[in-house]
Every structure is written in structure tokens, then in C-alpha cells.
Amino acid sequence: MIKLNDIAEIKTGLVLNRKKADMSKASKFYYSVVSLKSFNENALYDNTFADEFISNEQIKEDYQVKQGDILLRLREPNFAVYIDKEYENLIYPSLMVRVKIQDTRFVPHFIAHYLNSTIVRRALSTELSGTTIPMIKVADVNEIKIPLINLDKQKKIVEYLKLAHQENELLQNLINQKQKYSKEIFETLALQGE
């Protein structure tokens, strides 16, 4: 086992209120912000929930999300997502941390799945603080223990999980279609009874 901060750079997101634009000023910079709704158990970022943000100044590259990054929510539920492609001007707020894997022995997408595992969830749940909205501390994220697993095995696990997710989506679509079909049959038969 190896600590997360030994294999990755971990950085807290931007406090947005400090950069919010005064709408009366001429210079404005437009960004998309990762929303807490963009997180899920599938460990893949969902950009459909991104919020718009107008800044009073250009935001440093450090706070912009790049392909290959992992974002971890600091608020419950503590999901992690892998950024699977480039997004233009996408920034992440202070309610999450960016994990940038720097050790070539680890596949970032595997680490995102591992951060969503029951093992990590249990470990983090004991470290929650705050009364109304429980949050984990960045120091606790730094201490997360990551298993040293063969690189090929990590890739195979990620591929299996991707296929399982696709299968689940197909099955869910099939269920939705079946429900729609059943409803149409019922309505057709019920109308024939008149």
C-alpha cells in the first residue's frame, strides 16, 4: 500500500466568491464550473451539470481541469470522477480536490474507481467533520492508502467496469422501453373495451 499523496499532486479547488465578476466592470472571463451533481459511482465526469461562472480575472491554469485528472468531492457522498477528455475553461471549486496522478505505475481511471470503493468510503467516513454538512479534510485524502496492483490488471479492471456500465445502461434502456410498451398495450386494450 502506498499513500495517495506519494503518487499524486492533490490540490483544493478555487474559492469562487473571491473571483466572481462585478457585472458593471468591462473585463469579464467566462468559465464552466464542475458541479457537485457531476459526480457519480461510475467514476466518469458528467459535463451536463456544469455551471457557468463569470470571473473578474483570468483564472490560473492550476484550477483548470485537464484530461486525466481525478476530482474528489469533499462533501458527502465522497465520489471521485475521472476526466476522460479535454474541456475548455473548466474549473473546479473548493468543494473538491483535484488528484493528478504522477506515478506511472498507476492508471488514473483505476484510482478514481478505487476512491469510490467501499474500502475508501469506510476509511473516509471515520474522518468526516462538520455538523450540518459533513466534509472530509484534504489531509485525510492525502493519507488514503492505494494498493500496488500490476498496471495491466488495473487496465483490465477499468475495461471490465466500463463494459459493466455500458451493459447496465443498455439494460436500463430495455426496462424503460418495456415499461413504455406495456403502458401502450394497456391503453390500447383498455380503449378497445369501450
Side-chain angles (χ1 to χ4, degrees):
M1 298 287 256
I2 188 166
K3 287 183 190 174
L4 187 58
N5 71 336
D6 290 336
I7 65 165
E9 173 194 305
I10 301 168
K11 183 170 177 56
T12 308
L14 180 69
V15 179
L16 297 177
N17 285 342
R18 295 181 187 161
K19 303 290 182 183
K20 197 168 192 169
D22 178 353
M23 297 314 278
S24 63
K25 299 235 169 115
S27 66
K28 295 178 188 87
F29 299 87
Y30 295 85
Y31 294 92
S32 292
V33 180
V34 175
S35 164
L36 291 178
K37 295 177 205 163
S38 299
F39 288 77
N40 56 62
E41 288 179 319
N42 300 322
L44 266 182
Y45 173 67
D46 183 354
N47 195 45
T48 57
F49 297 106
D51 296 319
E52 205 175 83
F53 180 73
I54 303 169
S55 176
N56 59 359
E57 62 185 67
Q58 195 162 5
I59 292 173
K60 291 180 190 170
E61 194 83 9
D62 267 5
Y63 294 107
Q64 294 189 29
V65 178
K66 301 289 180 214
Q67 184 175 4
D69 287 350
I70 300 165
L71 297 176
L72 174 66
R73 283 176 58 130
L74 295 175
R75 274 190 187 170
E76 279 274 294
N78 306 111
F79 290 127
V81 291
Y82 172 71
I83 308 298
D84 62 335
K85 57 186 167 198
E86 283 297 332
Y87 294 96
E88 193 174 333
N89 293 327
L90 180 65
I91 58 175
Y92 63 105
S94 58
L95 298 172
M96 55 196 74
V97 292
R98 182 193 64 210
V99 178
K100 194 178 276 294
I101 303 297
Q102 297 179 317
D103 190 321
T104 56
R105 295 176 296 172
F106 295 93
V107 175
H109 199 170
F110 170 80
I111 299 297
H113 279 292
Y114 184 75
L115 292 174
N116 286 341
S117 71
T118 310
I119 299 161
V120 173
R121 289 251 179 89
R122 276 196 207 120
L124 290 177
S125 69
T126 62
E127 305 298 335
L128 289 172
S129 64
T131 51
T132 51
I133 303 172
M135 290 183 71
I136 52 173
K137 297 187 271 317
V138 178
D140 299 326
V141 174
N142 289 335
E143 298 298 314
I144 294 172
K145 303 248 188 297
I146 306 293
L148 282 163
I149 295 174
N150 174 302
L151 198 60
D152 286 334
K153 188 174 181 181
Q154 289 179 53
K155 289 176 184 175
K156 286 177 183 170
I157 291 169
V158 168
E159 191 57 35
Y160 165 75
L161 291 171
K162 186 191 288 182
L163 290 171
H165 175 65
Q166 288 172 347
E167 180 183 22
N168 287 339
E169 282 184 336
L170 288 170
L171 290 170
Q172 190 58 53
N173 285 338
L174 187 61
I175 289 168
N176 293 342
Q177 291 297 321
K178 184 69 172 177
Q179 288 172 339
K180 183 179 171 185
Y181 179 66
S182 297
K183 185 178 180 182
E184 286 173 5
I185 288 175
F186 170 78
E187 289 175 3
T188 302
L189 293 174
L191 290 173
Q192 285 177 351
E194 291 179 358

PDB file of all heavy atoms in Angstrom, residues 23-58:
ATOM      1  N   MET A  23     -20.444  42.766 -12.320  1.00  0.00           N
ATOM      2  CA  MET A  23     -21.069  42.840 -13.635  1.00  0.00           C
ATOM      3  C   MET A  23     -20.989  44.242 -14.258  1.00  0.00           C
ATOM      4  O   MET A  23     -21.151  44.395 -15.458  1.00  0.00           O
ATOM      5  CB  MET A  23     -22.527  42.369 -13.563  1.00  0.00           C
ATOM      6  CG  MET A  23     -22.668  40.913 -13.141  1.00  0.00           C
ATOM      7  SD  MET A  23     -21.556  39.779 -13.987  1.00  0.00           S
ATOM      8  CE  MET A  23     -22.442  39.527 -15.494  1.00  0.00           C
ATOM      9  N   SER A  24     -20.686  45.259 -13.458  1.00  0.00           N
ATOM     10  CA  SER A  24     -20.583  46.617 -14.008  1.00  0.00           C
ATOM     11  C   SER A  24     -19.216  46.871 -14.647  1.00  0.00           C
ATOM     12  O   SER A  24     -19.050  47.819 -15.411  1.00  0.00           O
ATOM     13  CB  SER A  24     -20.841  47.650 -12.911  1.00  0.00           C
ATOM     14  OG  SER A  24     -19.855  47.539 -11.908  1.00  0.00           O
ATOM     15  N   LYS A  25     -18.248  46.011 -14.344  1.00  0.00           N
ATOM     16  CA  LYS A  25     -16.899  46.184 -14.911  1.00  0.00           C
ATOM     17  C   LYS A  25     -16.849  45.594 -16.319  1.00  0.00           C
ATOM     18  O   LYS A  25     -17.561  44.646 -16.648  1.00  0.00           O
ATOM     19  CB  LYS A  25     -15.875  45.491 -14.022  1.00  0.00           C
ATOM     20  CG  LYS A  25     -15.849  46.064 -12.615  1.00  0.00           C
ATOM     21  CD  LYS A  25     -14.474  46.512 -12.243  1.00  0.00           C
ATOM     22  CE  LYS A  25     -14.544  47.318 -10.966  1.00  0.00           C
ATOM     23  NZ  LYS A  25     -13.906  46.766  -9.853  1.00  0.00           N
ATOM     24  N   ALA A  26     -15.941  46.146 -17.123  1.00  0.00           N
ATOM     25  CA  ALA A  26     -15.850  45.744 -18.532  1.00  0.00           C
ATOM     26  C   ALA A  26     -15.189  44.372 -18.723  1.00  0.00           C
ATOM     27  O   ALA A  26     -15.629  43.586 -19.542  1.00  0.00           O
ATOM     28  CB  ALA A  26     -15.098  46.801 -19.321  1.00  0.00           C
ATOM     29  N   SER A  27     -14.115  44.132 -17.986  1.00  0.00           N
ATOM     30  CA  SER A  27     -13.384  42.879 -18.232  1.00  0.00           C
ATOM     31  C   SER A  27     -14.015  41.718 -17.460  1.00  0.00           C
ATOM     32  O   SER A  27     -14.149  41.746 -16.245  1.00  0.00           O
ATOM     33  CB  SER A  27     -11.906  43.036 -17.847  1.00  0.00           C
ATOM     34  OG  SER A  27     -11.778  43.234 -16.473  1.00  0.00           O
ATOM     35  N   LYS A  28     -14.413  40.716 -18.240  1.00  0.00           N
ATOM     36  CA  LYS A  28     -15.032  39.519 -17.668  1.00  0.00           C
ATOM     37  C   LYS A  28     -14.450  38.298 -18.368  1.00  0.00           C
ATOM     38  O   LYS A  28     -14.147  38.337 -19.560  1.00  0.00           O
ATOM     39  CB  LYS A  28     -16.547  39.534 -17.858  1.00  0.00           C
ATOM     40  CG  LYS A  28     -17.260  40.650 -17.120  1.00  0.00           C
ATOM     41  CD  LYS A  28     -18.749  40.593 -17.416  1.00  0.00           C
ATOM     42  CE  LYS A  28     -19.458  41.791 -16.864  1.00  0.00           C
ATOM     43  NZ  LYS A  28     -19.498  42.934 -17.735  1.00  0.00           N
ATOM     44  N   PHE A  29     -14.303  37.220 -17.625  1.00  0.00           N
ATOM     45  CA  PHE A  29     -13.803  35.967 -18.167  1.00  0.00           C
ATOM     46  C   PHE A  29     -14.829  34.882 -17.881  1.00  0.00           C
ATOM     47  O   PHE A  29     -15.320  34.778 -16.762  1.00  0.00           O
ATOM     48  CB  PHE A  29     -12.452  35.618 -17.535  1.00  0.00           C
ATOM     49  CG  PHE A  29     -11.387  36.655 -17.813  1.00  0.00           C
ATOM     50  CD1 PHE A  29     -11.246  37.757 -16.970  1.00  0.00           C
ATOM     51  CD2 PHE A  29     -10.552  36.533 -18.901  1.00  0.00           C
ATOM     52  CE1 PHE A  29     -10.274  38.721 -17.214  1.00  0.00           C
ATOM     53  CE2 PHE A  29      -9.582  37.492 -19.163  1.00  0.00           C
ATOM     54  CZ  PHE A  29      -9.443  38.590 -18.315  1.00  0.00           C
ATOM     55  N   TYR A  30     -15.147  34.091 -18.900  1.00  0.00           N
ATOM     56  CA  TYR A  30     -16.212  33.088 -18.793  1.00  0.00           C
ATOM     57  C   TYR A  30     -15.633  31.684 -18.633  1.00  0.00           C
ATOM     58  O   TYR A  30     -14.745  31.285 -19.394  1.00  0.00           O
ATOM     59  CB  TYR A  30     -17.118  33.153 -20.026  1.00  0.00           C
ATOM     60  CG  TYR A  30     -17.854  34.474 -20.110  1.00  0.00           C
ATOM     61  CD1 TYR A  30     -17.260  35.585 -20.701  1.00  0.00           C
ATOM     62  CD2 TYR A  30     -19.125  34.616 -19.568  1.00  0.00           C
ATOM     63  CE1 TYR A  30     -17.929  36.804 -20.754  1.00  0.00           C
ATOM     64  CE2 TYR A  30     -19.801  35.822 -19.620  1.00  0.00           C
ATOM     65  CZ  TYR A  30     -19.203  36.908 -20.206  1.00  0.00           C
ATOM     66  OH  TYR A  30     -19.859  38.110 -20.252  1.00  0.00           O
ATOM     67  N   TYR A  31     -16.177  30.959 -17.661  1.00  0.00           N
ATOM     68  CA  TYR A  31     -15.731  29.602 -17.363  1.00  0.00           C
ATOM     69  C   TYR A  31     -16.935  28.689 -17.107  1.00  0.00           C
ATOM     70  O   TYR A  31     -18.028  29.160 -16.819  1.00  0.00           O
ATOM     71  CB  TYR A  31     -14.841  29.591 -16.111  1.00  0.00           C
ATOM     72  CG  TYR A  31     -13.546  30.324 -16.293  1.00  0.00           C
ATOM     73  CD1 TYR A  31     -13.435  31.672 -15.974  1.00  0.00           C
ATOM     74  CD2 TYR A  31     -12.434  29.676 -16.809  1.00  0.00           C
ATOM     75  CE1 TYR A  31     -12.244  32.362 -16.160  1.00  0.00           C
ATOM     76  CE2 TYR A  31     -11.240  30.353 -17.010  1.00  0.00           C
ATOM     77  CZ  TYR A  31     -11.147  31.689 -16.678  1.00  0.00           C
ATOM     78  OH  TYR A  31      -9.969  32.363 -16.882  1.00  0.00           O
ATOM     79  N   SER A  32     -16.676  27.399 -17.185  1.00  0.00           N
ATOM     80  CA  SER A  32     -17.636  26.399 -16.716  1.00  0.00           C
ATOM     81  C   SER A  32     -17.084  25.889 -15.401  1.00  0.00           C
ATOM     82  O   SER A  32     -15.866  25.759 -15.230  1.00  0.00           O
ATOM     83  CB  SER A  32     -17.738  25.234 -17.699  1.00  0.00           C
ATOM     84  OG  SER A  32     -18.324  25.653 -18.895  1.00  0.00           O
ATOM     85  N   VAL A  33     -17.982  25.582 -14.466  1.00  0.00           N
ATOM     86  CA  VAL A  33     -17.564  25.103 -13.146  1.00  0.00           C
ATOM     87  C   VAL A  33     -18.120  23.699 -12.939  1.00  0.00           C
ATOM     88  O   VAL A  33     -19.294  23.445 -13.205  1.00  0.00           O
ATOM     89  CB  VAL A  33     -18.091  26.018 -12.021  1.00  0.00           C
ATOM     90  CG1 VAL A  33     -17.645  25.517 -10.653  1.00  0.00           C
ATOM     91  CG2 VAL A  33     -17.620  27.435 -12.221  1.00  0.00           C
ATOM     92  N   VAL A  34     -17.283  22.814 -12.448  1.00  0.00           N
ATOM     93  CA  VAL A  34     -17.715  21.459 -12.128  1.00  0.00           C
ATOM     94  C   VAL A  34     -18.743  21.543 -11.012  1.00  0.00           C
ATOM     95  O   VAL A  34     -18.510  22.170  -9.982  1.00  0.00           O
ATOM     96  CB  VAL A  34     -16.524  20.583 -11.681  1.00  0.00           C
ATOM     97  CG1 VAL A  34     -16.993  19.213 -11.228  1.00  0.00           C
ATOM     98  CG2 VAL A  34     -15.496  20.463 -12.792  1.00  0.00           C
ATOM     99  N   SER A  35     -19.876  20.931 -11.226  1.00  0.00           N
ATOM    100  CA  SER A  35     -20.954  20.917 -10.240  1.00  0.00           C
ATOM    101  C   SER A  35     -20.859  19.649  -9.394  1.00  0.00           C
ATOM    102  O   SER A  35     -20.376  18.612  -9.866  1.00  0.00           O
ATOM    103  CB  SER A  35     -22.294  20.955 -10.975  1.00  0.00           C
ATOM    104  OG  SER A  35     -23.342  20.590 -10.113  1.00  0.00           O
ATOM    105  N   LEU A  36     -21.360  19.715  -8.168  1.00  0.00           N
ATOM    106  CA  LEU A  36     -21.394  18.520  -7.319  1.00  0.00           C
ATOM    107  C   LEU A  36     -22.293  17.443  -7.924  1.00  0.00           C
ATOM    108  O   LEU A  36     -22.130  16.259  -7.646  1.00  0.00           O
ATOM    109  CB  LEU A  36     -21.855  18.876  -5.904  1.00  0.00           C
ATOM    110  CG  LEU A  36     -20.882  19.725  -5.082  1.00  0.00           C
ATOM    111  CD1 LEU A  36     -21.483  20.048  -3.720  1.00  0.00           C
ATOM    112  CD2 LEU A  36     -19.537  19.043  -4.914  1.00  0.00           C
ATOM    113  N   LYS A  37     -23.236  17.847  -8.781  1.00  0.00           N
ATOM    114  CA  LYS A  37     -24.122  16.883  -9.444  1.00  0.00           C
ATOM    115  C   LYS A  37     -23.399  16.077 -10.511  1.00  0.00           C
ATOM    116  O   LYS A  37     -23.925  15.088 -10.995  1.00  0.00           O
ATOM    117  CB  LYS A  37     -25.294  17.616 -10.098  1.00  0.00           C
ATOM    118  CG  LYS A  37     -26.218  18.304  -9.139  1.00  0.00           C
ATOM    119  CD  LYS A  37     -27.292  19.039  -9.930  1.00  0.00           C
ATOM    120  CE  LYS A  37     -27.849  20.187  -9.122  1.00  0.00           C
ATOM    121  NZ  LYS A  37     -28.562  21.147  -9.941  1.00  0.00           N
ATOM    122  N   SER A  38     -22.199  16.519 -10.898  1.00  0.00           N
ATOM    123  CA  SER A  38     -21.435  15.843 -11.953  1.00  0.00           C
ATOM    124  C   SER A  38     -20.745  14.576 -11.472  1.00  0.00           C
ATOM    125  O   SER A  38     -20.082  13.895 -12.245  1.00  0.00           O
ATOM    126  CB  SER A  38     -20.367  16.797 -12.515  1.00  0.00           C
ATOM    127  OG  SER A  38     -20.971  17.929 -13.068  1.00  0.00           O
ATOM    128  N   PHE A  39     -20.875  14.273 -10.187  1.00  0.00           N
ATOM    129  CA  PHE A  39     -20.189  13.121  -9.602  1.00  0.00           C
ATOM    130  C   PHE A  39     -21.124  11.926  -9.531  1.00  0.00           C
ATOM    131  O   PHE A  39     -22.308  12.079  -9.256  1.00  0.00           O
ATOM    132  CB  PHE A  39     -19.692  13.462  -8.194  1.00  0.00           C
ATOM    133  CG  PHE A  39     -18.529  14.408  -8.196  1.00  0.00           C
ATOM    134  CD1 PHE A  39     -18.722  15.768  -8.421  1.00  0.00           C
ATOM    135  CD2 PHE A  39     -17.248  13.949  -7.995  1.00  0.00           C
ATOM    136  CE1 PHE A  39     -17.650  16.642  -8.442  1.00  0.00           C
ATOM    137  CE2 PHE A  39     -16.166  14.816  -8.000  1.00  0.00           C
ATOM    138  CZ  PHE A  39     -16.376  16.167  -8.222  1.00  0.00           C
ATOM    139  N   ASN A  40     -20.565  10.739  -9.762  1.00  0.00           N
ATOM    140  CA  ASN A  40     -21.374   9.522  -9.729  1.00  0.00           C
ATOM    141  C   ASN A  40     -20.495   8.320  -9.389  1.00  0.00           C
ATOM    142  O   ASN A  40     -19.269   8.415  -9.410  1.00  0.00           O
ATOM    143  CB  ASN A  40     -22.074   9.319 -11.075  1.00  0.00           C
ATOM    144  CG  ASN A  40     -21.085   9.297 -12.223  1.00  0.00           C
ATOM    145  OD1 ASN A  40     -20.216   8.435 -12.277  1.00  0.00           O
ATOM    146  ND2 ASN A  40     -21.202  10.252 -13.134  1.00  0.00           N
ATOM    147  N   GLU A  41     -21.133   7.196  -9.097  1.00  0.00           N
ATOM    148  CA  GLU A  41     -20.407   5.976  -8.743  1.00  0.00           C
ATOM    149  C   GLU A  41     -19.645   5.382  -9.913  1.00  0.00           C
ATOM    150  O   GLU A  41     -18.742   4.581  -9.723  1.00  0.00           O
ATOM    151  CB  GLU A  41     -21.381   4.930  -8.203  1.00  0.00           C
ATOM    152  CG  GLU A  41     -21.905   5.250  -6.837  1.00  0.00           C
ATOM    153  CD  GLU A  41     -22.885   4.203  -6.347  1.00  0.00           C
ATOM    154  OE1 GLU A  41     -23.711   3.740  -7.150  1.00  0.00           O
ATOM    155  OE2 GLU A  41     -22.804   3.866  -5.156  1.00  0.00           O
ATOM    156  N   ASN A  42     -19.996   5.764 -11.142  1.00  0.00           N
ATOM    157  CA  ASN A  42     -19.343   5.204 -12.320  1.00  0.00           C
ATOM    158  C   ASN A  42     -17.946   5.762 -12.546  1.00  0.00           C
ATOM    159  O   ASN A  42     -17.247   5.321 -13.446  1.00  0.00           O
ATOM    160  CB  ASN A  42     -20.198   5.461 -13.563  1.00  0.00           C
ATOM    161  CG  ASN A  42     -21.563   4.838 -13.436  1.00  0.00           C
ATOM    162  OD1 ASN A  42     -21.706   3.748 -12.888  1.00  0.00           O
ATOM    163  ND2 ASN A  42     -22.571   5.531 -13.916  1.00  0.00           N
ATOM    164  N   ALA A  43     -17.573   6.753 -11.764  1.00  0.00           N
ATOM    165  CA  ALA A  43     -16.238   7.355 -11.801  1.00  0.00           C
ATOM    166  C   ALA A  43     -15.925   8.080 -13.102  1.00  0.00           C
ATOM    167  O   ALA A  43     -14.775   8.282 -13.437  1.00  0.00           O
ATOM    168  CB  ALA A  43     -15.154   6.314 -11.490  1.00  0.00           C
ATOM    169  N   LEU A  44     -16.967   8.479 -13.846  1.00  0.00           N
ATOM    170  CA  LEU A  44     -16.761   9.275 -15.057  1.00  0.00           C
ATOM    171  C   LEU A  44     -17.455  10.619 -14.910  1.00  0.00           C
ATOM    172  O   LEU A  44     -18.612  10.679 -14.504  1.00  0.00           O
ATOM    173  CB  LEU A  44     -17.309   8.564 -16.292  1.00  0.00           C
ATOM    174  CG  LEU A  44     -16.331   7.718 -17.092  1.00  0.00           C
ATOM    175  CD1 LEU A  44     -17.012   7.112 -18.303  1.00  0.00           C
ATOM    176  CD2 LEU A  44     -15.100   8.477 -17.508  1.00  0.00           C
ATOM    177  N   TYR A  45     -16.751  11.676 -15.240  1.00  0.00           N
ATOM    178  CA  TYR A  45     -17.291  13.030 -15.134  1.00  0.00           C
ATOM    179  C   TYR A  45     -18.451  13.230 -16.106  1.00  0.00           C
ATOM    180  O   TYR A  45     -18.389  12.845 -17.266  1.00  0.00           O
ATOM    181  CB  TYR A  45     -16.173  14.045 -15.412  1.00  0.00           C
ATOM    182  CG  TYR A  45     -16.658  15.460 -15.498  1.00  0.00           C
ATOM    183  CD1 TYR A  45     -17.158  16.100 -14.375  1.00  0.00           C
ATOM    184  CD2 TYR A  45     -16.648  16.155 -16.694  1.00  0.00           C
ATOM    185  CE1 TYR A  45     -17.629  17.399 -14.445  1.00  0.00           C
ATOM    186  CE2 TYR A  45     -17.111  17.458 -16.775  1.00  0.00           C
ATOM    187  CZ  TYR A  45     -17.601  18.070 -15.646  1.00  0.00           C
ATOM    188  OH  TYR A  45     -18.071  19.359 -15.719  1.00  0.00           O
ATOM    189  N   ASP A  46     -19.512  13.865 -15.633  1.00  0.00           N
ATOM    190  CA  ASP A  46     -20.684  14.172 -16.442  1.00  0.00           C
ATOM    191  C   ASP A  46     -20.779  15.687 -16.600  1.00  0.00           C
ATOM    192  O   ASP A  46     -21.138  16.397 -15.654  1.00  0.00           O
ATOM    193  CB  ASP A  46     -21.942  13.618 -15.766  1.00  0.00           C
ATOM    194  CG  ASP A  46     -23.204  13.836 -16.579  1.00  0.00           C
ATOM    195  OD1 ASP A  46     -23.137  14.527 -17.627  1.00  0.00           O
ATOM    196  OD2 ASP A  46     -24.258  13.328 -16.169  1.00  0.00           O
ATOM    197  N   ASN A  47     -20.461  16.189 -17.785  1.00  0.00           N
ATOM    198  CA  ASN A  47     -20.389  17.627 -18.032  1.00  0.00           C
ATOM    199  C   ASN A  47     -21.757  18.300 -18.183  1.00  0.00           C
ATOM    200  O   ASN A  47     -21.846  19.517 -18.216  1.00  0.00           O
ATOM    201  CB  ASN A  47     -19.542  17.893 -19.289  1.00  0.00           C
ATOM    202  CG  ASN A  47     -19.134  19.345 -19.404  1.00  0.00           C
ATOM    203  OD1 ASN A  47     -18.712  19.964 -18.428  1.00  0.00           O
ATOM    204  ND2 ASN A  47     -19.264  19.902 -20.587  1.00  0.00           N
ATOM    205  N   THR A  48     -22.830  17.531 -18.252  1.00  0.00           N
ATOM    206  CA  THR A  48     -24.158  18.124 -18.464  1.00  0.00           C
ATOM    207  C   THR A  48     -24.595  19.003 -17.294  1.00  0.00           C
ATOM    208  O   THR A  48     -25.478  19.832 -17.456  1.00  0.00           O
ATOM    209  CB  THR A  48     -25.235  17.047 -18.718  1.00  0.00           C
ATOM    210  OG1 THR A  48     -25.253  16.153 -17.614  1.00  0.00           O
ATOM    211  CG2 THR A  48     -24.980  16.291 -20.010  1.00  0.00           C
ATOM    212  N   PHE A  49     -23.990  18.829 -16.141  1.00  0.00           N
ATOM    213  CA  PHE A  49     -24.384  19.600 -14.962  1.00  0.00           C
ATOM    214  C   PHE A  49     -23.470  20.805 -14.693  1.00  0.00           C
ATOM    215  O   PHE A  49     -23.639  21.499 -13.687  1.00  0.00           O
ATOM    216  CB  PHE A  49     -24.400  18.707 -13.714  1.00  0.00           C
ATOM    217  CG  PHE A  49     -25.400  17.600 -13.790  1.00  0.00           C
ATOM    218  CD1 PHE A  49     -24.986  16.288 -14.005  1.00  0.00           C
ATOM    219  CD2 PHE A  49     -26.758  17.854 -13.655  1.00  0.00           C
ATOM    220  CE1 PHE A  49     -25.912  15.262 -14.074  1.00  0.00           C
ATOM    221  CE2 PHE A  49     -27.694  16.834 -13.725  1.00  0.00           C
ATOM    222  CZ  PHE A  49     -27.266  15.531 -13.941  1.00  0.00           C
ATOM    223  N   ALA A  50     -22.492  21.051 -15.555  1.00  0.00           N
ATOM    224  CA  ALA A  50     -21.547  22.159 -15.334  1.00  0.00           C
ATOM    225  C   ALA A  50     -22.299  23.483 -15.239  1.00  0.00           C
ATOM    226  O   ALA A  50     -23.252  23.735 -15.970  1.00  0.00           O
ATOM    227  CB  ALA A  50     -20.508  22.205 -16.442  1.00  0.00           C
ATOM    228  N   ASP A  51     -21.870  24.319 -14.313  1.00  0.00           N
ATOM    229  CA  ASP A  51     -22.464  25.643 -14.128  1.00  0.00           C
ATOM    230  C   ASP A  51     -21.616  26.687 -14.841  1.00  0.00           C
ATOM    231  O   ASP A  51     -20.425  26.478 -15.070  1.00  0.00           O
ATOM    232  CB  ASP A  51     -22.525  25.991 -12.633  1.00  0.00           C
ATOM    233  CG  ASP A  51     -23.430  25.059 -11.850  1.00  0.00           C
ATOM    234  OD1 ASP A  51     -24.509  24.712 -12.365  1.00  0.00           O
ATOM    235  OD2 ASP A  51     -23.055  24.683 -10.723  1.00  0.00           O
ATOM    236  N   GLU A  52     -22.219  27.830 -15.131  1.00  0.00           N
ATOM    237  CA  GLU A  52     -21.491  28.931 -15.751  1.00  0.00           C
ATOM    238  C   GLU A  52     -20.936  29.833 -14.655  1.00  0.00           C
ATOM    239  O   GLU A  52     -21.586  30.039 -13.634  1.00  0.00           O
ATOM    240  CB  GLU A  52     -22.434  29.720 -16.651  1.00  0.00           C
ATOM    241  CG  GLU A  52     -21.729  30.458 -17.756  1.00  0.00           C
ATOM    242  CD  GLU A  52     -22.710  31.125 -18.710  1.00  0.00           C
ATOM    243  OE1 GLU A  52     -23.171  32.239 -18.386  1.00  0.00           O
ATOM    244  OE2 GLU A  52     -23.011  30.511 -19.745  1.00  0.00           O
ATOM    245  N   PHE A  53     -19.736  30.360 -14.880  1.00  0.00           N
ATOM    246  CA  PHE A  53     -19.114  31.254 -13.908  1.00  0.00           C
ATOM    247  C   PHE A  53     -18.430  32.389 -14.657  1.00  0.00           C
ATOM    248  O   PHE A  53     -17.716  32.155 -15.631  1.00  0.00           O
ATOM    249  CB  PHE A  53     -18.094  30.492 -13.052  1.00  0.00           C
ATOM    250  CG  PHE A  53     -17.410  31.349 -12.032  1.00  0.00           C
ATOM    251  CD1 PHE A  53     -18.087  31.788 -10.907  1.00  0.00           C
ATOM    252  CD2 PHE A  53     -16.086  31.726 -12.195  1.00  0.00           C
ATOM    253  CE1 PHE A  53     -17.463  32.590  -9.960  1.00  0.00           C
ATOM    254  CE2 PHE A  53     -15.450  32.533 -11.253  1.00  0.00           C
ATOM    255  CZ  PHE A  53     -16.135  32.956 -10.141  1.00  0.00           C
ATOM    256  N   ILE A  54     -18.659  33.625 -14.183  1.00  0.00           N
ATOM    257  CA  ILE A  54     -18.028  34.795 -14.779  1.00  0.00           C
ATOM    258  C   ILE A  54     -17.062  35.360 -13.758  1.00  0.00           C
ATOM    259  O   ILE A  54     -17.454  35.700 -12.641  1.00  0.00           O
ATOM    260  CB  ILE A  54     -19.073  35.845 -15.201  1.00  0.00           C
ATOM    261  CG1 ILE A  54     -20.081  35.210 -16.169  1.00  0.00           C
ATOM    262  CG2 ILE A  54     -18.393  37.048 -15.845  1.00  0.00           C
ATOM    263  CD1 ILE A  54     -21.297  36.066 -16.460  1.00  0.00           C
ATOM    264  N   SER A  55     -15.804  35.443 -14.153  1.00  0.00           N
ATOM    265  CA  SER A  55     -14.741  35.869 -13.244  1.00  0.00           C
ATOM    266  C   SER A  55     -14.300  37.294 -13.550  1.00  0.00           C
ATOM    267  O   SER A  55     -14.407  37.770 -14.678  1.00  0.00           O
ATOM    268  CB  SER A  55     -13.547  34.912 -13.400  1.00  0.00           C
ATOM    269  OG  SER A  55     -12.470  35.347 -12.617  1.00  0.00           O
ATOM    270  N   ASN A  56     -13.738  37.932 -12.523  1.00  0.00           N
ATOM    271  CA  ASN A  56     -13.215  39.291 -12.691  1.00  0.00           C
ATOM    272  C   ASN A  56     -11.787  39.282 -13.230  1.00  0.00           C
ATOM    273  O   ASN A  56     -11.237  40.310 -13.571  1.00  0.00           O
ATOM    274  CB  ASN A  56     -13.283  40.064 -11.375  1.00  0.00           C
ATOM    275  CG  ASN A  56     -12.492  39.391 -10.265  1.00  0.00           C
ATOM    276  OD1 ASN A  56     -11.899  38.320 -10.449  1.00  0.00           O
ATOM    277  ND2 ASN A  56     -12.493  39.995  -9.096  1.00  0.00           N
ATOM    278  N   GLU A  57     -11.178  38.110 -13.284  1.00  0.00           N
ATOM    279  CA  GLU A  57      -9.807  37.986 -13.786  1.00  0.00           C
ATOM    280  C   GLU A  57      -9.613  36.592 -14.373  1.00  0.00           C
ATOM    281  O   GLU A  57     -10.417  35.693 -14.144  1.00  0.00           O
ATOM    282  CB  GLU A  57      -8.791  38.231 -12.675  1.00  0.00           C
ATOM    283  CG  GLU A  57      -8.871  37.227 -11.540  1.00  0.00           C
ATOM    284  CD  GLU A  57      -7.943  37.551 -10.389  1.00  0.00           C
ATOM    285  OE1 GLU A  57      -8.175  38.575  -9.711  1.00  0.00           O
ATOM    286  OE2 GLU A  57      -6.996  36.775 -10.179  1.00  0.00           O
ATOM    287  N   GLN A  58      -8.539  36.455 -15.128  1.00  0.00           N
ATOM    288  CA  GLN A  58      -8.237  35.148 -15.715  1.00  0.00           C
ATOM    289  C   GLN A  58      -7.818  34.197 -14.591  1.00  0.00           C
ATOM    290  O   GLN A  58      -7.020  34.556 -13.732  1.00  0.00           O
ATOM    291  CB  GLN A  58      -7.128  35.271 -16.753  1.00  0.00           C
ATOM    292  CG  GLN A  58      -7.026  34.062 -17.617  1.00  0.00           C
ATOM    293  CD  GLN A  58      -6.262  34.340 -18.902  1.00  0.00           C
ATOM    294  OE1 GLN A  58      -5.736  35.426 -19.094  1.00  0.00           O
ATOM    295  NE2 GLN A  58      -6.196  33.355 -19.760  1.00  0.00           N
TER     296      GLN A  58
END
